[in-house]
């Protein structure tokens, strides 16, 4: 249609990427992270598995792209876990988490994830898969802390994000990051020190 | 239309209530709780202030009805604050909060509040007004605890609601209430013991 390409059934790279990501969202939501494969996504999208791999890399990369996660969980976790002593883990975790929300671009994306999770079952499924498969399991493994306690750490972080950034409840909305770290880090550290 | 009433401009009681509640949501969201009056709501709805009072009672009652809050904050807070020693306050608060979410009817309503708050500015404004005007200030006054700490208590509760009930992240989704109380109460009690 006006460009040099022949009109045919084969979609261009941009469309193919979009098809793959839509198929990925569907399968990750329906089957869960563990039971979803690159091959299954390729079949659902009607493309070759090698193409999925070529465009996006490994399964986790497809997942992060499908959800538009604005950071690499593995990198962040390595930064938090490996960057200092165990007894100041909660402080580092809080600082990294707050800095993601202070950055306007990643804040918008995380608000969109929360909105999608509270308004659609697929959104809730995907956010739960994300937290479980790429965040909680990694942290639990790295620290040897029971998963229930890790989900409680997550609940404190999610709650701060909602009350401070989404609802804007004062005085938490205007508190400095350091004030929050000082008050909240001991509560989180309690969950991590089993 | 087929009933005995004359067709006219005066709406029936059901319509009047709906008009009043819509006007109330608009004003509470635009002006905030403190600056909204029964008189202002009546003017916005085009009805007599005495009628608003007759249908709904005081301003706080209008507010709770407009937001369809499934409990009376003042009663719940009295139940938590007055029902035992200060050092087990967090336990009582958690038990009351979890029981609201375990009840299917109030859970649905609270999920709807969270959904509305994450998807629209009016929803976020109303939930913030609700938390600030009818919950936080009451608790802060009753306990003499700085408001920042009360918002942190709220953040831990909201976070548990999202991770356990909205997202269903395991193992928190299946943990018993007593397990949660045992692990979380000390974190909340820390915020209350300044």
């Amino acid at each position: 249609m006006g460009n040099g390409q022949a009109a045919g059934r084969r979609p261009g790279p941009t469309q193919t990427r979009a098809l793959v990501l839509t198929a990925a969202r569907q399968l990750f939501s329906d089957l869960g992270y563990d039971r979803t494969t690159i091959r299954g996504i390729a079949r659902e999208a009607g493309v070759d598995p090698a193409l999925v791999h070529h465009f996006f890399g490994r399964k986790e990369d497809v997942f992060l792209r499908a959800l538009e996660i604005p950071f690499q969980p593995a990198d962040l976790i390595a930064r938090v876990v490996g960057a200092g002593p165990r007894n100041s883990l909660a402080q580092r975790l809080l600082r990294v988490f707050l800095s993601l929300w202070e950055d306007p671009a990643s804040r918008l994306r995380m608000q969109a994830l929360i909105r999608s999770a509270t308004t659609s079952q697929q959104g809730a499924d995907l956010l739960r898969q994300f937290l479980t498969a790429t965040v909680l399991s990694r942290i639990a493994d790295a620290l040897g802390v029971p998963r229930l306690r890790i989900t409680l750490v997550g609940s404190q972080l999610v709650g701060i994000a909602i009350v401070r950034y989404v609802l804007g409840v004062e005085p938490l909305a205007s508190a400095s990051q350091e004030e929050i770290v000082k008050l909240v880090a001991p509560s989180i550290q309690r969950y991590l020190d089993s």
Side-chain angles (χ1 to χ4, degrees), chain A:
Chain A
M1 310 282 257
N3 65 24
Q5 277 194 292
R9 283 174 309 170
R10 186 168 292 184
T14 308
Q15 282 168 289
T16 304
R17 280 170 197 267
L19 279 173
V20 168
L21 294 178
T22 301
R25 278 187 286 269
Q26 192 63 50
L27 288 196
F28 283 124
S29 162
D30 290 350
L31 304 179
Y33 182 81
D34 290 339
R35 287 162 56 212
T36 299
T37 59
I38 294 265
R39 182 172 296 274
I41 293 169
R43 193 183 315 119
E44 176 84 11
V47 303
D48 193 88
L51 201 64
V52 176
H53 189 78
H54 171 72
F55 276 153
F56 299 107
R58 297 162 309 133
K59 178 168 85 166
E60 177 168 333
D61 300 318
V62 182
F63 187 52
L64 298 177
R65 288 290 291 276
L67 271 72
E68 299 176 50
I69 302 291
F71 54 88
Q72 281 285 339
D75 294 352
L76 277 196
I77 291 164
R79 187 138 57 100
V80 169
V81 172
R86 172 92 182 216
N87 63 11
S88 56
L89 202 55
Q91 280 182 31
R92 293 194 298 281
L93 182 61
L94 258 169
R95 289 211 173 90
V96 164
F97 182 78
L98 291 171
S99 71
L100 282 175
W101 279 88
E102 297 293 334
D103 176 65
S106 60
R107 183 196 298 197
L108 274 182
R109 185 56 211 144
M110 291 195 292
Q111 282 185 324
L113 279 173
I114 289 178
R115 188 180 310 126
S116 161
T118 58
T119 50
S120 82
Q121 191 55 50
Q122 190 188 60
D125 290 342
L126 289 174
L127 185 53
R128 185 181 61 253
Q129 295 292 335
F130 167 67
L131 292 172
T132 307
T134 75
V135 179
L136 294 180
S137 55
R138 271 211 182 90
I139 298 186
D141 290 352
L143 298 177
V145 173
R147 280 190 184 216
L148 178 57
R149 288 170 169 270
I150 303 290
T151 57
L152 291 171
V153 172
S155 76
Q156 177 61 92
L157 295 175
V158 167
I160 287 176
I162 303 260
V163 173
R164 175 174 166 91
Y165 298 107
V166 179
L167 299 179
V169 178
E170 294 293 0
L172 184 54
S174 307
S176 72
Q177 290 189 52
E178 280 315 300
E179 230 174 330
I180 296 172
V181 170
K182 204 182 88 191
L183 282 166
V184 177
S187 288
I188 291 183
Q189 190 73 37
R190 259 198 73 248
Y191 295 136
L192 296 171
D193 297 339
S194 25

